[in-house]
Amino acid sequence: MRQWEDVASWQEFDRLYRRLIYGIARRSGLPHAEAEDVTQDVFKCVAETIHQFEPQPGPGKFRGWLLRLTRWRIADKFNQRPKGEPPGGGGGGDATTTRTPTIERVPDPTDHDAEFDREWQRHLLDAASERLSRRVKSRHYQAFDLYVRQRWPVLKVASELRMNPATVYIIGFRLTKQLRVEVARLRAQVG
């Protein structure tokens, strides 16, 4: 990503982190438009400063840096609001309101860390699943998704897809194994 021309790396970064950053911004109390702004601001900041980022040994260093950038941009959004303005803008509030200021309702950063890690694990699994779905037959992935990910009973999957139940078991086992490898590969790539 340190090179602007590396489109594939930027696309992978977008695929891995856009929903994650947006989700954190939304859970912090920002409306859709402001959460989108935060996401764009974080991406812009990464593009401008990635050459200064020094990877440290150990997992999660890049994600920690990205989480700090996200928190700062969220705080910036709240701080840009006129005093007394309700979430979502509109300027309908007044300075004499007794409501707790929005910035004080933002969850504690330790909550963000745990939520960020949970969200990261979900996104990692989704990204690995997406990669897997592009590599295997669509019918096999559909069986895997229904049986393993959505936890349908094997007989229901077999009936729905007109497959032998043993085939559904085998597909589930093989693709679960491949998914684990893909998750490990992604973890190694992004830390």
Side-chain angles (χ1 to χ4, degrees), residues 157-171:
V157 174
S159 173
E160 186 74 25
L161 299 178
R162 294 184 176 93
M163 288 181 165
N164 182 316
T167 303
V168 175
Y169 279 123
I170 291 169
I171 289 170

Side-chain angles (χ1 to χ4, degrees), residues 3 11 18 72 80 96 98-99 111 119 123 128 147 152 154 160 163 166 168 176-177:
Q3 298 175 0
Q11 286 174 336
R18 177 171 295 281
W72 294 336
Q80 289 170 0
T96 61
T98 58
R99 282 185 64 192
D111 294 341
E119 195 70 25
H123 284 294
Y147 175 56
W152 282 24
V154 71
E160 186 74 25
M163 288 181 165
V168 175
T176 298
K177 191 174 175 181

Side-chain angles (χ1 to χ4, degrees), residues 132 136-149 154 157-158 161-179:
L132 181 64
V136 300
K137 292 179 182 177
S138 61
R139 184 171 157 90
H140 287 190
Y141 186 79
Q142 185 178 18
F144 166 76
D145 184 60
L146 293 173
Y147 175 56
V148 175
R149 298 201 66 203
V154 71
V157 174
L161 299 178
R162 294 184 176 93
M163 288 181 165
N164 182 316
T167 303
V168 175
Y169 279 123
I170 291 169
I171 289 170
F173 175 78
R174 288 181 180 166
L175 294 190
T176 298
K177 191 174 175 181
Q178 290 179 33
L179 182 63

Side-chain angles (χ1 to χ4, degrees), residues 21 37-46 66 69-70 73:
I21 294 166
D37 289 346
V38 164
T39 305
Q40 289 301 318
D41 290 347
V42 170
F43 274 55
K44 181 178 181 250
C45 187
V46 168
L66 190 63
L69 291 176
T70 302
R73 296 305 163 260

Side-chain angles (χ1 to χ4, degrees), residues 44-97:
K44 181 178 181 250
C45 187
V46 168
E48 292 171 349
T49 60
I50 190 69
H51 65 280
Q52 298 169 352
F53 177 74
E54 293 296 326
Q56 304 291 318
K61 300 301 180 182
F62 178 77
R63 282 180 298 160
W65 178 65
L66 190 63
L67 178 58
R68 282 190 301 280
L69 291 176
T70 302
R71 278 194 207 135
W72 294 336
R73 296 305 163 260
I74 291 169
D76 289 347
K77 277 294 172 196
F78 283 116
N79 290 332
Q80 289 170 0
R81 292 181 176 165
K83 191 168 184 125
E85 182 176 311
D94 62 56
T96 61
T97 183

Side-chain angles (χ1 to χ4, degrees), residues 99-119:
R99 282 185 64 192
T100 304
T102 305
I103 193 69
E104 292 177 21
R105 289 181 286 159
V106 174
D108 183 35
T110 55
D111 294 341
H112 274 301
D113 291 344
E115 181 61 29
F116 190 85
D117 286 339
R118 281 191 300 275
E119 195 70 25

